[in-house]
Amino acid sequence: MRLVFMGTPDFAVPALVSLHDAGHEIVCVYTQPPRPAGRGKALRPSPVQVEAERRGLPVRSPVRVRRDVAEHEAFANLNADAAVVAAYGLLLPKAMLDAPKLGCLNIHASLLPRWRGASPIHAAVLAGDARSGVSIMRMDEGLDTGDVLAEAAVDLSADETAQSLHDRLGPLGAALITQVLSGPLPEAKPQPEEGATYAPKLTRETGHIDWTRDAHTIERQVRGLTPWPGTFTTLEGDVLKIGGVSLVSGAHDASPGTVLDDALLVACGEDALRLERLQRPGRAMMDRATFLHGATLPKGARLGE
């Protein structure tokens, strides 16, 4: 099949690899332009661009496409049977959505209509969902509202993080889109409106820990925002990044954010959390034992102030 592939981050790479290895003709790869990265702020191409160039595939990286008529025409002139979209990062206008013969097929990292939007993987972990998965959707002009051609589900483990779920759903989406395009397309079914939810936009402030919340909610926050944007608290005005915690049930009468012992147990609005991985300013992330070897966080100290 003659395909255009549109994607940017690591999540999209397995799909590009799978479709190319399956023998589909990838006539063009669209991806976000290179971005400054690292201390030197040198321009770094996206993971999809790196893989496309390694395979000798033509790459286009327009800054924007929504109102670029010339880009719409160039896209249409590719004469694709379908476009496969996986975390591309730009909204496609109707002119592009309608150009491929079979439309634009999106690999979305949730079981639609739950968690439409840009951060479905994080949202599933933050909410404590028992299941997640991927949906293959024919795109329309709405926000992840198109008809669904196929789904594949996974169970979430008790220690699931956004990173671990990302690493499972990328290959799962790759296998599913390759299966969908291996023959006649499955029947596309409209999404039910019942159960529709939207994943909120993530910012650095999303990771700010509010110790008045219950320990279960904060524990999911830490897992759901690992590795990005990460979670943090403050200690005497300094930012203390939190990379892992464990739940400790039981009543206490301390104010939320109070350190309850000399082994990094912190009071929450309900129950408590043991800090298992944390990072001081200017240092690397370290486990609890390593942190306590070089620093103290004594009983009675207050976090979040």
Side-chain angles (χ1 to χ4, degrees):
M1 191 174 288
R2 186 176 173 89
L3 301 177
V4 174
F5 187 86
M6 311 181 83
T8 297
D10 289 321
F11 175 83
V13 172
L16 174 62
V17 170
S18 180
L19 291 169
H20 191 247
D21 287 351
H24 292 286
E25 181 186 4
I26 312 294
V27 294
C28 189
V29 173
Y30 276 72
T31 190
Q32 291 273 323
R35 306 293 189 196
R39 291 187 177 182
K41 299 299 181 183
L43 291 179
R44 179 180 298 173
S46 74
V48 164
Q49 180 173 341
V50 171
E51 183 62 30
E53 292 178 345
R54 189 179 75 81
R55 290 171 175 264
L57 300 174
V59 174
R60 293 179 69 92
S61 53
V63 175
R64 58 186 61 87
V65 297
R66 197 163 180 82
R67 295 181 176 86
D68 190 337
V69 175
E71 195 62 58
H72 302 171
E73 293 175 352
F75 185 79
N77 288 337
L78 293 170
N79 196 31
D81 293 312
V84 173
V85 184
Y88 176 41
L90 293 178
L91 293 175
L92 302 183
K94 182 174 175 55
M96 296 180 74
L97 293 173
D98 293 344
K101 297 179 181 65
L102 300 176
C104 296
L105 307 182
N106 179 241
I107 305 171
H108 186 77
S110 79
L111 300 175
L112 291 167
R114 186 161 177 80
W115 303 133
R116 296 167 176 169
S119 54
I121 292 175
H122 303 80
V125 179
L126 289 168
D129 288 357
R131 298 171 75 243
S132 184
V134 291
S135 302
I136 306 301
M137 172 195 68
R138 178 176 283 124
M139 297 173 69
D140 59 19
E141 292 183 272
L143 180 59
D144 299 325
T145 56
D147 296 349
V148 173
L149 286 79
E151 288 185 335
V154 297
D155 293 328
L156 272 62
S157 66
D159 60 353
E160 198 81 59
T161 66
Q163 184 67 62
S164 65
L165 185 55
H166 166 282
D167 292 348
R168 290 202 287 155
L169 295 188
L172 184 64
L176 190 60
I177 188 63
T178 304
Q179 176 186 332
V180 164
L181 294 176
S182 65
L185 293 188
E187 178 187 357
K189 298 180 180 179
Q191 295 182 39
E193 280 305 315
E194 182 179 357
T197 57
Y198 289 85
K201 182 179 180 181
L202 300 178
T203 67
R204 182 179 180 277
E205 193 58 29
T206 309
H208 192 180
I209 294 173
D210 177 0
W211 295 104
T212 66
R213 303 170 83 185
D214 67 89
H216 288 268
T217 299
I218 298 173
E219 189 266 347
R220 292 197 304 269
Q221 179 186 15
V222 174
R223 290 189 288 110
L225 301 180
T226 297
W228 186 91
T231 48
F232 67 95
T233 187
T234 53
L235 175 63
E236 298 178 345
D238 289 332
V239 172
L240 189 66
K241 295 182 179 180
I242 308 300
V245 296
S246 57
L247 286 160
V248 178
S249 298
H252 59 78
D253 58 4
S255 299
T258 301
V259 179
L260 298 175
D261 62 14
D262 292 328
L264 304 185
L265 183 65
V266 182
C268 303
E270 184 179 329
D271 297 320
L273 289 172
R274 184 83 66 188
L275 306 185
E276 302 292 356
R277 289 180 54 78
L278 58 169
Q279 180 180 359
R280 291 184 292 168
R283 302 293 185 89
M285 186 68 72
M286 59 190 75
D287 61 31
R288 177 161 51 94
T290 303
F291 180 90
L292 290 173
H293 183 73
T296 58
L297 193 56
K299 180 179 179 179
R302 291 290 297 276
L303 299 179
E305 294 186 343

